[in-house]
């Protein structure tokens, strides 16, 4: 520091000498007062620089805050969108000791991503717990006007021409020293509609779908201070297969395309989040199965997510999965890859259109064994595979007060093993239905398009208007006659009802009005 002060003293001496000379030099065009003011300004700049240097040497290195949007399956997610799951909250590191290394994905603002909440703070934060409240209330107008007000073929929208509470979530993130955990409830329609898509509870006892019905996330874990952080979590966590979040507040659209809607929202098992750097996450899983509370057969599901964000404008996500997920058919193996890119290609905060971004997702998979093959199938052993894509473009206006999203996608899925079963006469994934079979050789192709307008007066609420057009190659969507027998469901769920025929159509058009709250 002596050298810095010596420089300062020399500057001061120079200042004095110059000032005296200026007073005697009549040839100067500047007055004595002007010269003094100029020198004082130069001296003030050097003083400010010296203060900054002194402050830097005395203050500890500050750890930048974690971008909640970049976080993890705990938000959902990390799936928690694709937040994919980076750290589970603003307390990913969850340690009272300051880390010399930056937290994962804290180097930029990633609240623009779909699958991530755009909130940058929490009014419910304490030292050991950050609370979270979510409310998703929606009105859906189905232009097919089903008489039973029932919508099929979606994992986000379920009732027509009614106001419904899709999800009420109360919970948050626990963080104390290196301990971590998260819990989130799912009261409302999700408590009924998500469990009915899982056939694993029919294997064995204890009614798993009832046990987990009101919980969307519940896990505990431990943080290890190695690399840029390692998290070990066990329980129910978001998957982020399909890019979009399970929670509509986090997404650019209310009804995502089939690639997202028909792939897992959650896993029940173990995950290890490894952060080799602040820009990369590697996350292997050992889980019960494909969005399953229990196992379909003896073998567990295995998978891995890799999330790379090289800059604040680019996010690349890859999910890979292997499992035996056909109930009672242990020889049938499932393979699936889900890969997405998100790119913010325009960012001008002072302009009327202040931001623009796009996403592209491609999924491919197949099943082999147990009477089916991945390709080159025959009548005796049909091909059973999944191919799909979706893409979205989003524009933000007037300092992110408004946003417009246009998008859509398409899938083909012979064997229908990832097609959401319409709830005809109360049918579930366990019961199936004779009115819409999901057997080897059954063809299914579908596509959709949507337009979404958001009004976001604060970071904690979104008012959303959306229009969707969806179509399939076979009758699939609820028509005017509905999919419920007159007088209500008859006999065992999903069973054949004499004299009843569900009204299924090849297309549907609907509009959605939603109020989405997160704090």
């Amino acid at each position: 520091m002596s050298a810095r002060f010596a420089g300062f003293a020399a500057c001061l001496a120079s200042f004095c000498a110059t000032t005296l000379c200026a007073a005697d030099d009549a040839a100067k065009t500047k007055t004595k007062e002007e010269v003094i003011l100029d020198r004082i300004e130069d001296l003030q700049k050097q003083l400010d620089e010296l203060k900054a240097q002194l402050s830097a040497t005395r203050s500890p290195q500050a750890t930048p805050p974690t971008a909640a949007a970049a976080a993890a399956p705990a938000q959902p997610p990390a799936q928690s969108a694709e937040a994919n799951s980076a750290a589970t909250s603003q307390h990913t590191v969850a340690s009272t000791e300051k880390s010399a290394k930056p937290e994962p994905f804290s180097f930029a603002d990633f609240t623009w991503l779909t699958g991530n909440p755009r909130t940058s703070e929490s009014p419910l934060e304490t030292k050991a717990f950050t609370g979270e409240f979510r409310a998703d209330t929606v009105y859906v107008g189905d232009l097919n006007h089903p008489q039973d007000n029932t919508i099929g073929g979606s994992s986000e929208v379920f009732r027509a021409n009614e106001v419904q509470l899709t999800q009420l979530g109360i919970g948050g993130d626990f963080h104390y020293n290196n301990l971590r955990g998260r819990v989130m409830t799912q009261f409302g329609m999700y408590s009924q509609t998500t469990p009915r898509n899982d056939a694993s509870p029919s294997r064995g006892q204890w009614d798993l779908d009832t046990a987990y019905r009101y919980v969307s996330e519940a896990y505990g874990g431990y943080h290890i201070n190695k690399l840029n952080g390692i998290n070990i979590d066990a329980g129910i966590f978001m998957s982020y297969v399909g890019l979009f979040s399970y929670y509509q507040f986090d997404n650019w659209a209310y009804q995502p395309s089939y690639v997202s809607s028909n792939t897992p929202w959650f896993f029940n098992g173990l995950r290890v989040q490894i952060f080799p750097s602040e820009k990369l996450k590697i996350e292997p899983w050992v889980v019960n199965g494909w969005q399953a509370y229990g196992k379909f057969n003896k073998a567990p599901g295995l998978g891995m997510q890799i999330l790379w964000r090289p800059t604040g404008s680019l996010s690349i996500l890859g999910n890979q999965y292997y499992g035996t997920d056909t109930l009672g058919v242990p020889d049938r193996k499932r393979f699936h890859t889900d890969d997405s890119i998100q790119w913010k290609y325009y960012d001008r905060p002072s302009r009327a259109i202040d931001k623009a971004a796009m996403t592209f997702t491609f999924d491919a998979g197949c099943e082999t064994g147990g009477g089916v093959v991945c390709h080159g199938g025959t009548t005796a052993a049909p091909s059973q595979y999944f191919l799909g894509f979706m893409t979205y473009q989003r524009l933000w206006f007037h300092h992110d007060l408004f946003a417009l999203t246009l998008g859509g996608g398409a899938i083909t899925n012979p064997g229908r093993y990832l097609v959401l079963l319409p709830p005809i006469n109360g049918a579930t994934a366990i019961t199936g239905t004779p009115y819409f079979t999901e057997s080897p050789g059954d063809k299914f192709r579908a596509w959709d398009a949507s337009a979404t307008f958001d009004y976001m007066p604060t970071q904690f609420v979104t008012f959303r208007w959306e229009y969707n057009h969806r179509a399939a190659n076979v009758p699939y969507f609820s028509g005017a006659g509905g999919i419920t027998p007159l007088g209500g469901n008859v006999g065992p769920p999903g069973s054949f009802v004499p004299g009843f025929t569900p009204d299924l159509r090849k297309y549907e058009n609907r509009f959605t009005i939603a109020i989405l709250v997160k704090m």
Side-chain angles (χ1 to χ4, degrees):
M1 297 304 300
S2 59
R4 293 194 181 98
F5 283 107
F8 170 74
C11 178
L12 182 62
S14 174
F15 160 73
C16 295
T18 304
T19 301
L20 292 173
C21 290
D24 295 333
D25 191 355
K28 295 278 186 186
T29 58
K30 290 187 177 181
T31 66
K32 176 180 179 181
E33 290 79 7
E34 290 175 331
V35 173
I36 292 174
L37 289 174
D38 288 343
R39 290 299 181 181
I40 289 175
E41 184 176 350
D42 291 340
L43 186 60
Q44 184 63 51
K45 290 180 180 178
Q46 294 188 44
L47 282 170
D48 291 341
E49 292 176 0
L50 183 60
K51 289 179 181 178
Q53 292 172 359
L54 286 169
S55 176
T57 59
R58 293 173 181 173
S59 301
Q61 180 71 28
T63 302
T66 300
Q75 328 253 30
Q79 208 175 61
S80 221
E82 154 237 22
N84 294 62
S85 255
T88 296
S89 71
Q90 293 180 345
H91 296 271
T92 300
V93 175
S95 174
T96 57
E97 298 181 358
K98 295 291 184 179
S99 173
K101 294 183 178 180
E103 295 183 14
F105 308 123
S106 63
F107 65 92
D109 178 7
F110 290 104
T111 55
W112 60 271
L113 293 167
T114 192
N116 280 358
R118 70 177 191 280
T119 49
S120 59
E121 61 179 317
S122 171
L124 307 175
E125 185 170 7
T126 67
K127 179 180 178 180
F129 178 72
T130 300
E132 188 172 318
F133 171 82
R134 291 178 178 266
D136 175 351
T137 306
V138 65
Y139 177 89
V140 179
D142 189 333
L143 301 187
N144 285 347
H145 304 290
Q147 66 178 9
D148 60 351
N149 289 15
T150 301
I151 295 174
S154 171
S155 58
E156 299 79 20
V157 172
F158 315 104
R159 299 282 296 184
N161 309 316
E162 300 173 346
V163 175
Q164 290 291 342
L165 178 68
T166 300
Q167 193 248 351
L168 180 69
I170 302 172
D173 297 288
F174 297 88
H175 38 79
Y176 184 74
N177 291 334
N178 286 62
L179 300 178
R180 47 186 272 120
R182 179 171 171 84
V183 63
M184 182 58 59
T185 65
Q186 60 173 22
F187 299 114
M189 293 299 296
Y190 271 177
S191 68
Q192 301 297 311
T193 56
T194 298
R196 61 87 59 183
N197 289 326
D198 178 15
S200 69
S202 67
R203 182 172 180 256
Q205 302 297 322
W206 306 122
D207 204 4
L208 295 178
D209 53 356
T210 300
Y212 291 116
R213 181 174 302 278
Y214 300 105
V215 177
S216 62
E217 298 174 75
Y219 62 81
Y222 189 75
H223 174 80
I224 301 173
N225 296 317
K226 298 295 183 182
L227 302 176
N228 274 67
I230 299 174
N231 299 324
I232 302 174
D233 301 319
I236 298 177
F237 52 88
M238 295 291 104
S239 76
Y240 283 92
V241 176
L243 185 63
F244 275 46
S245 168
Y246 184 58
Y247 308 115
Q248 310 310 330
F249 178 93
D250 303 347
N251 298 328
W252 292 357
Y254 197 93
Q255 171 67 71
S257 190
Y258 304 95
V259 162
S260 181
S261 188
N262 292 34
T263 50
W265 292 117
F266 71 87
F267 289 132
N268 191 0
L270 173 73
R271 72 178 181 192
V272 180
Q273 297 178 323
I274 305 168
F275 301 95
S277 74
E278 61 177 329
K279 299 181 178 182
L280 177 65
K281 182 193 71 170
I282 300 172
E283 181 180 306
W285 315 310
V286 179
V287 298
N288 288 340
W290 181 274
Q291 188 167 307
Y293 295 126
K295 287 184 179 179
F296 294 98
N297 298 288
K298 291 183 178 181
L302 303 174
M304 177 178 289
Q305 179 185 96
I306 297 177
L307 175 63
W308 182 44
R309 292 175 179 165
T311 72
S313 299
L314 184 64
S315 179
I316 300 173
L317 174 72
N319 294 297
Q320 318 305 321
Y321 178 84
Y322 165 81
T324 58
D325 298 290
T326 303
L327 188 67
V329 188
D331 294 333
R332 186 173 298 174
K333 310 297 190 298
R334 177 176 300 178
F335 302 89
H336 196 92
T337 181
D338 164 75
D339 305 286
S340 298
I341 183 171
Q342 299 196 68
W343 176 36
K344 182 176 64 173
Y345 54 86
Y346 177 85
D347 194 354
R348 298 290 186 273
S350 62
R351 303 289 179 85
I353 300 177
D354 60 87
K355 196 180 299 175
M358 58 82 64
T359 74
F360 181 79
T361 300
F362 175 76
D363 277 39
C366 69
E367 293 191 330
T368 183
V372 301
V373 295
C374 285
H375 60 85
T378 64
T379 304
S383 297
Q384 192 144 300
Y385 60 86
F386 181 94
L387 289 174
F389 79 93
M390 66 178 185
T391 184
Y392 290 88
Q393 297 278 343
R394 184 169 174 92
L395 302 176
W396 288 261
F397 304 88
H398 195 54
H399 305 291
D400 297 348
L401 183 62
F402 307 101
L404 174 67
T405 302
L406 303 176
I411 63 168
T412 180
N413 185 206
R416 303 180 181 176
Y417 64 93
L418 294 186
V419 177
L420 295 170
L421 184 74
I424 303 169
N425 192 34
T428 69
I430 295 173
T431 67
T433 174
Y435 299 104
F436 187 88
T437 58
E438 296 183 326
S439 303
D442 289 344
K443 304 297 183 182
F444 186 84
R445 296 188 302 275
W447 68 276
D448 71 327
S450 66
T452 307
F453 180 78
D454 288 342
Y455 170 53
M456 300 165 287
T458 79
Q459 64 176 307
F460 303 113
V461 65
T462 298
F463 296 88
R464 177 165 292 173
W465 294 264
E466 183 168 290
Y467 181 81
N468 298 93
H469 174 76
R470 311 182 90 208
N473 68 315
V474 294
Y476 180 60
F477 306 100
S478 298
I483 57 177
T484 306
L486 291 177
N489 294 335
V490 177
S495 61
F496 176 77
V497 179
F500 165 69
T501 301
D503 184 4
L504 297 177
R505 306 290 179 89
K506 290 187 176 182
Y507 64 87
E508 72 172 358
N509 296 288
R510 46 181 164 86
F511 64 88
T512 299
I513 303 172
I515 300 177
L516 309 171
V517 174
K518 176 192 178 292
M519 60 182 294

